[in-house]
Amino acid sequence: LIEVNIYFKSQIDSKSLESKTRRATDATLRREIVVGGLKDFSTRSQSDVLDILYAEERGGNATDINSMWIVNAISCKATRDVIYELSSHPDILSIGYDKVVQIIDDNESFEVKDKPATRGSAAPHVLQVRANQVWNQGYTGKNVIVAVLDSGTNIDHYDLKDHLWVGEVGGEKVNGWNYISNNSDIRDDFGHGTHCAGIVCGDGTSGIHTGMAPDATLMCIKALNNEGFGSASTFNAGMEFAIEHHAD
C-alpha cells in the first residue's frame, strides 16, 4: 500500500464564504460558518471517491482513509491499481505521494534548559520588536489560544507548564495531539517545538522572558517526529485539530 494525498479540482468559492462571515459579528459564529462551509463542500465533492475507497478498503486494497476538509483532499494508503483507477476520476487534480521529509534539520534542534532561575529581563528578540511595550498596554496574549505545529512540546518546562491548553478527545483530557503516532503523547525529544513554544509564551520563570505573548494559552500539536520529519497529511490534520478545538 502506498501513502498518498488525493487533491480535488473543485474548491469552495472563498468570496461567497467570506461574504457570509461579514454578516456575523461574533468570532465564534464566523468560525462555525467557515468550518461548516468547508466541511459541507468537501463532503459533497469527495463522496464519489470516498465510496470507491471504502469499497476497496473492504477488499484490503485501501486503508487509513482520511477526508481533509481544510484543503479538500483525501489522505490514504492504497494499492497501485486503486491509484490508477482514481487517476481517471474527472474531479481529481492530482494524486501525490505523502512523502515523509525532513522539515527541520538536525542543526536546528535545540537543547532547552528548564531549570528555574532568578526572573530576569526580556530576551533580545522580544525587545527588538518592542513586545514588552505592548504588554504595558495590556496586550499579553491572555485568553488567546495559540497552536504550535512542530516536534511536540516539553510540557514540564517551567516557562510553559502553566500555559497548556486542556481539551478532550474521546473522553481523554489532552494538551494537544500527536499526528505522528496518532495519540495524545506530545512530548518533544527534538527540542525545536519547545523552542518555538517558548517564543510564543515563555513567561520568564526560568530567568528570561522569551515569549511574545507571555499569558497566551498553548495548544501543542506534534506534526514532526523526533528527527524533524513530517508530511503534508500530518500538518493538514494538525491544522484541522487546531481549528476544530478553537485555536486563535
Side-chain angles (χ1 to χ4, degrees):
L1 297 178
I2 304 167
E3 299 180 36
V4 294
N5 292 310
I6 303 166
Y7 294 96
F8 289 78
K9 295 176 184 176
S10 300
Q11 294 295 325
I12 196 167
D13 183 348
S14 58
K15 290 184 178 180
S16 174
L17 191 61
E18 185 180 0
S19 68
K20 294 178 181 177
T21 64
R22 287 201 195 100
R23 296 194 292 269
T25 57
D26 179 71
T28 301
L29 180 57
R30 288 199 298 272
R31 178 190 297 266
E32 291 175 356
I33 291 171
V34 172
V35 173
L38 289 168
K39 286 184 175 181
D40 289 344
F41 183 84
S42 64
T43 297
R44 293 195 305 271
S45 61
Q46 295 177 16
S47 60
D48 288 347
V49 174
L50 285 172
D51 286 344
I52 294 170
L53 286 171
Y54 288 137
E56 294 292 351
E57 184 179 39
R58 291 190 288 271
N61 298 317
T63 186
D64 297 332
I65 302 165
N66 179 34
S67 170
M68 296 183 290
W69 49 266
I70 197 169
V71 290
N72 196 25
I74 299 170
S75 67
C76 66
K77 296 179 182 178
T79 63
R80 182 183 64 178
D81 291 342
V82 170
I83 293 170
Y84 277 130
E85 178 188 353
L86 292 175
S87 68
S88 63
H89 192 281
D91 195 35
I92 288 182
L93 176 66
S94 66
I95 302 175
Y97 179 44
D98 188 32
K99 188 176 182 180
V100 177
V101 297
Q102 188 169 24
I103 296 173
I104 307 297
D105 293 334
D106 288 335
N107 60 8
E108 291 189 69
S109 65
F110 295 88
E111 180 184 356
V112 183
K113 298 178 181 179
D114 60 358
K115 293 182 179 180
T118 303
R119 184 184 293 268
S121 62
H125 63 267
V126 174
L127 299 174
Q128 184 176 4
V129 299
R130 302 178 183 176
N132 56 317
Q133 295 181 23
V134 180
W135 303 341
N136 295 332
Q137 298 175 31
Y139 300 103
T140 61
K142 189 175 181 179
N143 299 321
V144 175
I145 301 171
V146 181
V148 174
L149 282 73
D150 209 294
S151 58
T153 305
N154 176 4
I155 59 175
D156 296 319
H157 195 291
Y158 288 98
D159 285 1
L160 301 174
K161 63 182 181 180
D162 293 334
H163 299 268
L164 300 175
W165 170 81
V166 179
E168 189 172 301
V169 176
E172 178 186 5
K173 295 291 184 182
V174 300
N175 301 125
W177 200 253
N178 180 337
Y179 281 100
I180 300 298
S181 303
N182 196 31
N183 58 36
S184 61
D185 183 2
I186 54 171
R187 288 175 296 179
D188 180 17
D189 294 325
F190 192 64
H192 191 274
T194 303
H195 178 82
C196 290
I199 294 173
V200 173
C201 60
D203 63 13
T205 301
S206 293
I208 297 177
H209 288 270
T210 61
M212 296 292 180
D215 289 330
T217 299
L218 179 67
M219 181 186 292
C220 312
I221 298 174
K222 189 176 176 72
L224 296 173
N225 67 16
N226 294 331
E227 288 79 40
F229 286 79
S231 68
S233 63
T234 60
F235 274 92
N236 284 330
M239 285 189 285
E240 290 186 345
F241 182 95
I243 294 168
E244 290 193 289
H245 291 87
H246 306 289
D248 295 294

